[in-house]
C-alpha cells in the first residue's frame, strides 16, 4: 500500500506518553510539515509555538484547568506541545490551522511519535490567566490559539488500522 495512505489509515490519538524527549530533528520535521499545509489564499498568517519544557506545559495546563474548572487537567503530560495560532480576524484561521494540525499529526505518526488534538484553548486563550502564560511563550497579541498538538512517544502500543464509518458517496 502507498505509505502516505498507510500513515493516514493507521494514525490514532495517543493520550499517554513516556518521559522520552522528542529529538530536535524530529520536532523540526514536524513543524516543517505544519508550514507546508495549505492556507487560504496562501496568506500563511499562522504561528506555531513548540513548547518542549514539561514544566511550562504544565503551567499552561494549570491555567487552563482553573478556567475550565477541571481540577486534574494536565494536557496528557506530553513531551512537546505545539500551539497552532492564527490572526483572530483571519477569515481562514480555523481551516488553516486544522490543515496544519493534520500535517503535524501525520508527520509525528510517520516518525513513531504519538499525538492528540487539544481544542480547549480556542475558547479560553484570552482569559487573563491563560493569556499570561501564552504571552510568555511569545504568542502574538493579535493571534488566538485554534488548536494544539500534544506529542510524545506512546506509553503503550496504539491499535493499527480500525474500521471507520463509511460516510461518503461517489456521484457520477
Amino acid at each position: 500500500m502507498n505509505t502516505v495512505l498507510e500513515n493516514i489509515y493507521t494514525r490514532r490519538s495517543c493520550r499517554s506518553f513516556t518521559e522520552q524527549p522528542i529529538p530536535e530533528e524530529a520536532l523540526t520535521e514536524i513543524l516543517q510539515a505544519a508550514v507546508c499545509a495549505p492556507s487560504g489564499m496562501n496568506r500563511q498568517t499562522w504561528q506555531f509555538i513548540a513548547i518542549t519544557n514539561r514544566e511550562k506545559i504544565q503551567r499552561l495546563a494549570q491555567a487552563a484547568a482553573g478556567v475550565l474548572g477541571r481540577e486534574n487537567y494536565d494536557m496528557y503530560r506530553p513531551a512537546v506541545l505545539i500551539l497552532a495560532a492564527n490572526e483572530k480576524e483571519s477569515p481562514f484561521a480555523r481551516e488553516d490551522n486544522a490543515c496544519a494540525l493534520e500535517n503535524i499529526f501525520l508527520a509525528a505518526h510517520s516518525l513513531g511519535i504519538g499525538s492528540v488534538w487539544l481544542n480547549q484553548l480556542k475558547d479560553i486563550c484570552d482569559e487573563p490567566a491563560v493569556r499570561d502564560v501564552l504571552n510568555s511563550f511569545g504568542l502574538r497579541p493579535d493571534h488566538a490559539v485554534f488548536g494544539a498538538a500534544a506529542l510524545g512517544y506512546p506509553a503503550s502500543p496504539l491499535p493499527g488500522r480500525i474500521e471507520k464509518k463509511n460516510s461518503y458517496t461517489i456521484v457520477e
Side-chain angles (χ1 to χ4, degrees), residues 49 51 56-57 59-60 83 132-139:
I49 301 172
I51 305 127
K56 290 181 179 182
I57 294 168
R59 198 170 84 225
L60 177 59
L83 304 176
D132 286 346
V133 178
L134 294 172
N135 288 345
S136 76
F137 298 153
L139 182 67

Side-chain angles (χ1 to χ4, degrees), residues 120-153:
Q120 294 83 0
L121 292 173
K122 169 63 179 91
D123 295 326
I124 64 169
C125 69
D126 282 327
E127 293 290 333
V130 175
R131 192 65 193 207
D132 286 346
V133 178
L134 294 172
N135 288 345
S136 76
F137 298 153
L139 182 67
R140 296 178 193 146
D142 64 334
H143 278 56
V145 176
F146 284 85
L151 305 177
Y153 290 97

Side-chain angles (χ1 to χ4, degrees), residues 9 20 43 55 63 66 102 108 131 161:
Y9 295 159
Q20 181 181 352
R43 291 185 182 169
E55 290 175 11
E102 180 71 4
R131 192 65 193 207
R161 186 173 178 174

